[in-house]
Amino acid sequence: MNKKVYAGIDLGGTTIKMGICSTDGAVIGETKHPTPKGPYQDVFRTFQQLLSDLLLQAGLSIHDVIGVGVGVPALLDVKKGYAFEIVNLGWRNVPIKFELERYLGVSCFVDNDANVAALGEMWQGAGRGAAHLICVTVGTGIGGGLILNGDIFHGAVGLAGEIGHLKVRPEIGRRCNCGNIGCLETEASATAIVFYGRTAVESGEATQLRQILDQSRGSLTARDVVDAAKNGDLVSIKIMERVSHYLGLALANLSNTLNPEKIVIGGGVSRAGSFFLNPIRDQFRTYALDQVARSVELLPAELGNTAGWLGAAWLVHRNLGEDGGN
Ligand SMILES: [Zn+2]
């Protein structure tokens, strides 16, 4: 029996998610652990420990691991596996691939977190079977990954797929972290949904959100707004219409350019399912070319927290294959 496996790691600012899978992508084991706050050596030692625990539980050893993929929250030189800066972790100029291979003793491959999540959905999730795929994650911000011809598209310096900075309200939108105005991220993320909700309450509009804010002592989540919209709250329905409009517009523009087979939408808000997705589909059809709209499926992400590490493991699959390149 071929028991060779791939390992994948999704390194987040607060949590490490790691797993091992068979060469056809079946999950063998997975785990998570808080990200150590300290130098990268501490994080790599944690990787070592987590991987050896996972292998032990599965009755495997490091000799069964073909390679390890890792997704990191940073802009990278992907080929060298070199991170210039990871703000969330306070890292600067870390040769991740080189160092990780020293710590783990197997070949390692690195890409950014949004890209590996897209690859995970392509390999084992909602994007299965698609060679041209757009993945977008609607969370605190809006992230994305572009898969063209069955592989991630990096662009000139690794910045391709920054879907969150598509302009949807360039004249009158709010200022984005990137310095520009009216980015999709400032107008349609979970953060934006909460902002619209609070603004409506503060400006005295009649809405169920006021009661939610009072009961929760001032905290409001995007999920609260989605639930209130489901519950018939007109202000919340308007907010969700507005957000769907921006998302549908941005995705239609992208699709008119790239003609994808699938668009996969993930992130916390997407858990609202068709209630969230159907209005985006409607708006999308308004702006997309007919043929483009007819040939694309717009789907909710399937893998949740597994997407990142599984997509990182796919990097090993792409680079070394099932026999480890032998
Ligand atoms: Zn921006």
Side-chain angles (χ1 to χ4, degrees), residues 162 164-167 174-186:
E162 287 290 335
H165 302 285
L166 279 165
K167 305 297 170 276
R174 288 180 298 130
R175 179 77 61 183
C176 178
N177 289 334
C178 75
N180 229 309
I181 285 175
C183 292
L184 185 63
E185 178 162 298
T186 55

Side-chain angles (χ1 to χ4, degrees), residues 1-307:
M1 189 188 89
N2 177 17
K3 58 172 184 173
K4 291 283 183 188
V5 297
Y6 306 135
I9 302 168
D10 180 4
L11 173 60
T14 52
T15 308
I16 296 166
K17 292 158 202 138
M18 183 187 289
I20 48 178
C21 65
S22 66
T23 52
D24 53 8
V27 174
I28 294 169
E30 57 185 327
T31 186
K32 60 183 177 177
H33 191 276
T35 307
K37 304 284 172 225
Y40 70 84
Q41 288 88 346
D42 291 356
V43 173
F44 289 179
R45 270 191 287 273
T46 305
F47 287 171
Q48 261 179 337
Q49 188 57 51
L50 292 173
L51 182 59
S52 85
D53 290 350
L54 273 174
L55 290 169
L56 192 67
Q57 282 162 22
L60 298 166
S61 81
I62 193 70
H63 304 293
D64 301 311
V65 179
I66 295 171
V68 177
V70 55
V72 299
L75 177 62
L76 293 160
D77 179 327
V78 170
K79 282 208 183 91
K80 294 193 182 123
Y82 189 96
F84 301 101
E85 184 169 24
I86 305 187
V87 178
N88 287 347
L89 300 170
W91 296 5
R92 272 175 166 274
N93 301 318
V94 180
I96 298 180
K97 178 178 164 65
F98 178 81
E99 282 293 302
L100 205 54
E101 286 179 345
R102 235 164 42 85
Y103 273 80
L104 301 179
V106 290
S107 298
C108 296
F109 303 92
V110 191
D111 208 323
N112 86 40
D113 51 358
N115 287 347
V116 295
L119 289 169
E121 289 291 339
M122 172 193 77
W123 195 26
Q124 297 295 326
R128 267 188 313 270
H132 313 297
L133 176 70
I134 296 172
C135 277
V136 50
T137 305
V138 182
T140 312
I142 291 186
L146 296 180
I147 289 169
L148 302 175
N149 297 317
D151 202 350
I152 206 78
F153 180 73
H154 288 105
V157 293
L159 281 171
E162 287 290 335
I163 294 167
H165 302 285
L166 279 165
K167 305 297 170 276
V168 290
R169 270 182 107 207
E171 284 88 17
I172 49 170
R174 288 180 298 130
R175 179 77 61 183
C176 178
N177 289 334
C178 75
N180 229 309
I181 285 175
C183 292
L184 185 63
E185 178 162 298
T186 55
E187 309 302 324
S189 59
T191 313
I193 293 173
V194 170
F195 173 81
Y196 298 141
R198 280 185 183 283
T199 308
V201 171
E202 280 159 18
S203 61
E205 292 184 52
T207 166
Q208 296 169 17
L209 299 177
R210 180 181 310 283
Q211 204 185 348
I212 296 168
L213 263 171
D214 288 345
Q215 283 170 353
S216 65
R217 296 205 191 104
S219 93
L220 186 72
T221 65
R223 191 67 217 221
D224 292 331
V225 179
V226 172
D227 288 344
K230 276 186 181 166
N231 207 14
D233 180 56
L234 290 177
V235 163
S236 301
I237 290 172
K238 270 223 152 72
I239 292 172
M240 296 316 293
E241 279 172 358
R242 180 173 175 180
V243 166
S244 335
H245 172 243
Y246 296 138
L247 284 165
L249 172 65
L251 292 172
N253 279 330
L254 257 185
S255 299
N256 287 345
T257 316
L258 299 172
N259 189 197
E261 296 160 82
K262 292 186 179 183
I263 297 172
V264 175
I265 302 188
V269 190
S270 74
R271 282 182 212 122
S274 53
F275 181 82
F276 179 61
L277 289 186
N278 282 343
I280 300 174
R281 290 184 177 115
D282 290 343
Q283 294 290 331
F284 179 86
R285 277 191 289 270
T286 307
Y287 297 111
L289 296 168
D290 270 355
Q291 291 279 38
V292 168
R294 271 201 291 272
S295 57
V296 70
E297 282 182 281
L298 205 151
L299 303 163
E302 286 177 6
L303 298 179
N305 286 335
T306 303

